[in-house]
Amino acid sequence: MRVAMIGAGYVGLVSGACFADFGHAVTCVDKDQARIAALGRGEIPIHEPGLSDLVAANARAGRLTFTADLAGAVGAAQAVFIAVGTPSRRGDGHADLTFVYEAAREIARALTGFTVVITKSTVPVGTGDEVERIIRETRPDAEFAVVSNPEFLREGAAIQDFKHPDRIVVGADDARARELMAEIYRPLHLNRGPLMFTDRRTAELIKYAANAFLATKIGFINEIADLAEKVGADVQDIARGIGLDNRIGSRFLHAGPGFGGSCFPKDATALIKTGQDHGAPLRIVEAVVAGNDARKRAMARKVSAALDGEVRGKTVAVLGLTFKPNTDDMREAPSIPLIAALQDMGATVRGYDPVGMAQAKAVLANVTFCDNEYACAEGASALVIVTEWGQFRALDFARLKQVMAKPVLVDLRNVYRADEVARHGFAYESVGRPRSK
Ligand SMILES: NC(=O)c1ccc[n+]([C@@H]2O[C@H](COP(=O)([O-])OP(=O)(O)OC[C@H]3O[C@@H](n4cnc5c(N)ncnc54)[C@H](O)[C@@H]3O)[C@@H](O)[C@H]2O)c1
């Protein structure tokens, strides 16, 4: 199958490389010429475990190519995926569909023969109808079908998720399009990756409902963590105690500094707007988003408490800047509002991240960036773990104690146990657990 993937970002590049790995002939298109030039040289513009090798192997085999020439790629393709960004629209939080509609117009002009146009970007319900209208208006003679095929991969585990999905959702009203989609994903459903066909609007809404539900689980456990702190209970045990119940499940029940990333905040907000527009408000999701927004900045109060309220003039070391481990993505990272709040309180902030330094430098001001966790801790009165990278799970406390001004650890991911930290002579503050001094 000849596939064109429009947008070579986290989703487009991973999906394109995986489809090529299944044996399809894939051309990844991006309007960012520098990105395409880098990919042509074998350089991967994002950090995603395993992606570099997968891209190299399939490029070498001639199944994966990169171009800025959308028309050429689309003209030759039987399936065209739209995997461009759908950020929050400034001002009202609706999904900004400018890139999707622009791509639809460009695709329309280049269509030859029956082509299936598949929206992989996360788009509000009804977007497929508009993409179809745009293509028909631009090219009344074109033979095409528009399909919704939302993507559920997680950054940091994207290849594994794409190749071993819990489900593949395809929203298609056209029989030929359903057949083509089954063919594209054939290697996966042979492996029992369940392929689920729905109508297009339902598929669009499944993606938002899934993200909003997961965000709600996180928001819920974070509120329980706050209550646990007040009443002297331990949220880790509560999460385990409820997560072992199969009806609830243990995943997405980790208390922390609030969710971030390129998807949950913007998708939950966009779903809220859709609900409001249709007179079906999503009160639960509204509460989750409001609580989460406030939470990230409020984490600075934990640092302040650990320093007995004396933050001004102190140095605070922040470990982990990306929104989660194993990615370089800084979009909506909890570190951003937390660091701003610490600076507002008068702290000097040092920061370190294993792979996200370049991206972090672009969005964080007045932070001293360091080469490793120990350099970061130098002169600090508090060390704050914001992102639970693996290498922060076995810190050398003796070494930290030597270089820090005060042995204080604020663990916003509950990586450590209070008793083990105390054994090393550190004061310890975590999330939803009793404090130890
Ligand atoms: N990142 C994730 O983990 C994830 C997971 C599931 C779904 N999604 C959804 O997938 C979509 C893409 O997300 P992403 O994180 O890959 O975005 P991204 O910003 O990393 O990549 C988008 C790419 O599209 C390119 N682009 C935009 N308009 C174009 C056009 N007209 N022609 C060619 N290229 C164009 C941009 O230059 C950019 O490189 C979004 O809707 C997002 O919500 C993302």
Side-chain angles (χ1 to χ4, degrees):
M1 179 94 57
R2 284 187 308 280
V3 174
M5 185 66 66
I6 313 302
Y10 285 88
V11 166
L13 198 52
V14 170
S15 312
C18 288
F19 281 139
D21 210 46
F22 297 164
H24 300 309
V26 180
T27 305
C28 286
V29 182
D30 207 291
K31 63 178 183 182
D32 180 343
Q33 305 258 6
R35 175 164 288 224
I36 290 299
L39 285 164
R41 290 191 300 271
E43 294 164 19
I44 306 299
I46 56 173
H47 175 86
E48 184 59 50
L51 185 59
S52 184
D53 289 346
L54 193 73
V55 167
N58 285 283
R60 241 190 341 265
R63 290 189 298 264
L64 182 63
T65 53
F66 303 100
T67 182
D69 170 24
L70 182 142
V74 168
Q78 297 148 280
V80 179
F81 284 85
I82 300 177
V84 301
T86 50
S88 261
R89 192 161 72 189
R90 220 171 262 188
D92 66 2
H94 268 287
D96 182 344
L97 297 171
T98 313
F99 296 128
V100 173
Y101 294 154
E102 226 175 67
R105 249 171 243 113
E106 290 176 64
I107 291 165
R109 285 192 281 270
L111 291 175
T112 52
F114 177 72
T115 311
V116 179
V117 178
I118 306 125
T119 310
K120 203 166 235 334
S121 299
T122 302
V123 294
V125 65
T127 303
D129 301 354
E130 184 60 12
V131 167
E132 186 172 319
R133 194 194 63 73
I134 289 171
I135 297 178
R136 198 166 298 295
E137 181 185 273
T138 313
R139 275 286 303 283
D141 62 311
E143 254 198 287
F144 68 99
V146 175
V147 167
S148 164
N149 171 219
E151 182 50 57
F152 299 96
L153 62 77
R154 293 163 301 167
E155 286 175 23
I159 294 169
Q160 165 71 16
D161 283 353
F162 195 90
K163 289 193 163 182
H164 303 277
D166 291 336
R167 77 306 205 185
I168 302 153
V169 174
V170 174
D173 304 318
D174 177 290
R176 273 193 297 177
R178 275 200 293 272
E179 237 172 75
L180 178 136
M181 293 302 288
E183 188 56 29
I184 289 182
Y185 280 108
R186 205 172 58 88
L188 285 186
H189 53 90
L190 284 179
N191 272 343
R192 295 178 206 277
L195 186 57
M196 174 182 168
F197 287 107
T198 68
D199 63 81
R200 201 164 57 199
R201 286 184 163 237
T202 301
E204 290 170 337
L205 200 48
I206 285 173
K207 172 65 190 176
Y208 282 98
N211 273 2
F213 190 83
L214 293 173
T216 300
K217 267 187 112 174
I218 298 172
F220 176 81
I221 202 67
N222 281 339
E223 286 195 344
I224 295 291
D226 291 347
L227 179 59
E229 280 175 24
K230 300 269 195 252
V231 301
D234 184 329
V235 75
Q236 296 289 109
D237 288 339
I238 297 170
R240 192 169 141 73
I242 64 173
L244 284 170
D245 183 330
N246 282 332
R247 293 168 302 176
I248 296 173
S250 60
R251 299 176 73 189
F252 287 80
L253 283 183
H254 300 289
F259 56 79
S262 66
C263 292
F264 284 4
K266 84 168 170 66
D267 293 348
T269 307
L271 181 63
I272 290 168
K273 293 294 169 195
T274 303
Q276 289 168 353
D277 285 354
H278 289 83
L282 296 154
R283 300 282 185 233
I284 295 172
V285 187
E286 287 173 12
V288 167
V289 168
N292 193 65
D293 284 348
R295 184 174 190 83
K296 293 183 192 171
R297 204 177 149 85
M299 287 295 113
R301 285 206 295 273
K302 275 196 173 296
V303 181
S304 173
L307 292 174
D308 297 321
E310 288 169 25
V311 179
R312 187 157 299 282
K314 298 274 167 54
T315 296
V316 176
V318 175
L319 295 188
L321 303 170
T322 54
F323 86 91
K324 68 174 180 181
N326 301 322
T327 181
D328 57 354
D329 203 334
M330 283 294 294
R331 288 179 277 187
E332 303 286 332
S335 65
I336 302 170
L338 167 65
I339 287 173
L342 289 170
Q343 290 170 332
D344 289 346
M345 289 174 172
T348 299
V349 176
R350 297 165 72 78
Y352 167 68
D353 190 275
V355 305
M357 296 292 265
Q359 284 73 5
K361 284 177 186 169
V363 293
L364 295 171
N366 302 318
V367 171
T368 304
F369 291 98
C370 306
D371 289 340
N372 59 57
E373 45 276 63
Y374 301 100
C376 185
E378 266 171 41
S381 296
L383 183 67
V384 187
I385 298 177
V386 181
T387 312
E388 69 281 29
W389 284 91
Q391 71 191 63
F392 303 152
R393 289 181 180 274
L395 290 169
D396 180 342
F397 283 97
R399 191 170 162 198
L400 286 173
K401 210 170 172 186
Q402 270 175 6
V403 297
M404 289 179 69
K406 251 179 104 180
V408 174
L409 178 64
V410 181
D411 177 3
L412 299 182
R413 299 290 182 172
N414 292 352
V415 169
Y416 290 98
R417 282 203 329 262
D419 57 338
E420 60 186 353
V421 178
R423 233 187 1 256
H424 295 291
F426 271 69
Y428 182 63
E429 176 87 33
S430 60
V431 178
R433 298 189 296 180
R435 196 174 158 204
S436 75
K437 284 206 113 187

